[in-house]
Amino acid sequence: MRLLHTSDWHLGRSFHRVNMLDAQTEFIGHLVRTVRERAVDAVLVSGDVYDRAVPPLAAVELFDDALHRLADLGVPTVMISGNHDSARRLGVGAGLIDRAGIHLRTEPSAAGTPVVLADAFGDIAFYGLPYLEPALVKDEFGVEKAGHEAVLAAAMDRVRADLAARAPGTRSVVLAHAFVTGGEASDSERDITVGGVAAVPAGVFDGVDYVALGHLHGCQTITERVRYSGSPLAYSFSETDHRKSMWLVDLAGDGTVTAERLDCPVPRPLARLRGTLDDLLADPALTRHEDAWIEATLTDPVRPADPMARLTDRFPGTLSLVFAPERAPDDPDVTYARRLAGRTDRQIAEDFVAHVRGAGPDERELAVLGDAFDAVHADAAAREVPR
């Protein structure tokens, strides 16, 4: 069976205030053409269909158009909700559109109930594991302590139990939306790390033939059977070096997996430029970036006059302007920025306690901080607050 693995469409998202709807529409057209021209048997969409819980109408219309076009081709689609989606909203009408070959899996309780498709070699069971917010699903899966690894492991236990009860030789595919150890993140994914460790080991998915992952925006191979497709479009300048693509996966009768990367359309290249304003305006080597979307980091020791206006004269696609003056290593601003770089909200809170009191939080206080951040995160997820 030939599968097309994609994820993280983020319909409705903009790029530094640039409306991406035209680019997203072009991607959907590319997806449908690929399904038709490459004789795809099933499409897998591993979460974050939308960019927020309540997407704009234009995004919903584009999603509706995509589903109609895929259904018209008669190619089954299996789709899960991600951490940006409202699982409840995305899942409305799932039972009805299931009849059209569009299989939405948004309920954690259905983790062990697959969509079963068949080819010349027999059945293939597709298990959809939507994004599992630990604090909200720990009771469903009977885990004592909320954690990403614990709830995913419990969901996979249900998958393996169902698979074991099926006919010998039944092949299996899992769709999941998670941060798997070894994956490389970018700036445009919403952080799912709160009180505990968000990353889960790839071994959690042992026992199935292919795992179609979503959440991380870079296309990457964790193992030959565990892959991220990445987002089809860049949504931050941290993705400048990404090659946006989908996986075309052939699942053989014996469970052997072969995969081919298929490039997605690039609406406009991205470039990150760094230097003084005068250097950026004069450097002939930067001519090739004049039609790109630009993030410019200015290193002038003193902020120059009208930097954005002057940059856009040469680089009309300048969308982001960052000031990073070159300063001495002992400059207080440099030291503070370095202390904050790469730290989570919880780590910053722990640093604050240490700064105010002269000593960091003890084990009991660490647990209180962790519970507080978990509670806020779970409440936001339950209320479907767009962030």
Side-chain angles (χ1 to χ4, degrees):
M1 182 171 285
R2 174 163 286 184
L3 314 173
L4 186 64
H5 168 198
T6 178
S7 72
D8 295 273
W9 294 357
H10 288 280
L11 300 181
R13 186 164 185 161
S14 60
F15 182 81
H16 289 269
R17 299 178 301 281
V18 174
N19 190 313
M20 296 293 285
L21 187 64
D22 287 346
Q24 291 171 339
T25 301
E26 183 181 1
F27 162 69
I28 294 299
H30 169 73
L31 172 75
V32 172
R33 287 192 300 274
T34 300
V35 170
R36 184 176 58 248
E37 294 169 3
R38 298 302 299 266
V40 170
D41 297 306
V43 176
L44 314 179
V45 186
S46 299
D48 282 353
V49 174
Y50 293 121
D51 189 57
R52 55 183 186 265
V54 185
L57 179 59
V60 177
E61 290 174 338
L62 179 55
F63 178 60
D64 181 65
D65 178 64
L67 297 189
H68 275 86
R69 295 170 72 179
L70 289 169
D72 287 345
L73 291 175
V75 175
T77 298
V78 185
M79 183 177 295
I80 61 172
S81 50
N83 60 306
H84 279 247
D85 298 308
S86 162
R88 283 174 286 180
R89 285 186 174 88
L90 186 63
V92 169
L96 184 62
I97 66 175
D98 193 80
R99 302 176 191 176
I102 306 294
H103 308 285
L104 285 170
R105 292 295 182 264
T106 62
E107 291 292 335
S109 59
T113 305
V115 176
V116 180
L117 304 176
D119 63 8
F121 300 99
D123 287 346
I124 303 174
F126 292 81
Y127 298 90
L129 310 186
Y131 172 68
L132 302 175
E133 178 62 51
L136 297 181
V137 303
K138 65 183 182 69
D139 292 338
E140 165 66 34
F141 290 107
V143 298
E144 294 183 3
K145 184 173 176 58
H148 289 274
E149 182 175 353
V151 296
L152 260 177
M156 282 301 301
D157 285 344
R158 294 189 184 182
V159 168
R160 284 184 283 264
D162 180 85
L163 190 58
R166 296 188 175 273
T170 299
R171 287 156 292 159
S172 53
V173 174
V174 165
L175 291 77
H177 196 87
F179 189 172
V180 174
T181 303
E184 183 176 343
S186 62
D187 292 343
S188 54
E189 299 110 6
R190 181 182 298 161
D191 186 10
I192 59 174
T193 307
V194 191
V197 177
V200 300
V204 164
F205 300 104
D206 285 351
V208 297
D209 293 305
Y210 184 71
V211 181
L213 292 174
H215 179 57
L216 299 184
H217 286 189
C219 180
Q220 45 203 299
T221 300
I222 305 301
T223 73
E224 287 304 307
R225 295 183 181 273
V226 181
R227 298 172 186 264
Y228 283 100
S229 67
S231 62
L233 296 165
Y235 291 114
S236 75
F237 279 104
S238 65
E239 299 172 54
T240 297
D241 296 328
H242 285 191
R243 174 187 162 198
K244 295 302 182 182
S245 53
M246 304 178 287
W247 287 113
L248 187 69
V249 178
D250 285 321
L251 182 59
D254 62 356
T256 301
V257 169
T258 56
E260 175 187 355
R261 266 181 94 173
L262 304 181
D263 291 330
C264 294
V266 179
R268 195 164 179 174
L270 308 183
R272 293 178 121 172
L273 309 182
R274 184 183 182 91
T276 65
L277 179 59
D278 288 342
D279 286 345
L280 296 184
L281 295 177
D283 189 348
L286 301 182
T287 300
R288 61 194 177 94
H289 297 308
E290 290 178 352
D291 293 326
W293 278 326
I294 300 292
E295 178 187 73
T297 300
L298 299 184
T299 60
D300 302 73
V302 177
R303 184 176 299 213
D306 298 322
M308 181 61 88
R310 293 164 66 187
L311 275 169
T312 52
D313 279 344
R314 183 179 186 190
F315 306 104
T318 302
L319 301 180
S320 175
L321 190 57
V322 180
F323 292 96
E326 293 182 346
R327 292 173 171 153
D330 58 351
D331 187 296
D333 289 339
V334 174
T335 304
Y336 179 70
R338 285 178 179 167
R339 286 204 307 269
L340 291 185
R343 299 187 70 73
T344 65
D345 290 344
R346 177 178 168 178
Q347 289 169 328
I348 292 171
E350 293 169 6
D351 291 345
F352 176 76
V353 172
H355 174 73
V356 170
R357 191 167 70 184
D362 58 27
E363 287 189 11
R364 183 187 65 82
E365 293 166 332
L366 285 172
V368 170
L369 279 173
D371 289 344
F373 278 104
D374 281 342
V376 170
H377 194 68
D379 181 67
R383 295 172 182 267
E384 297 173 350
V385 176
R387 289 166 292 168

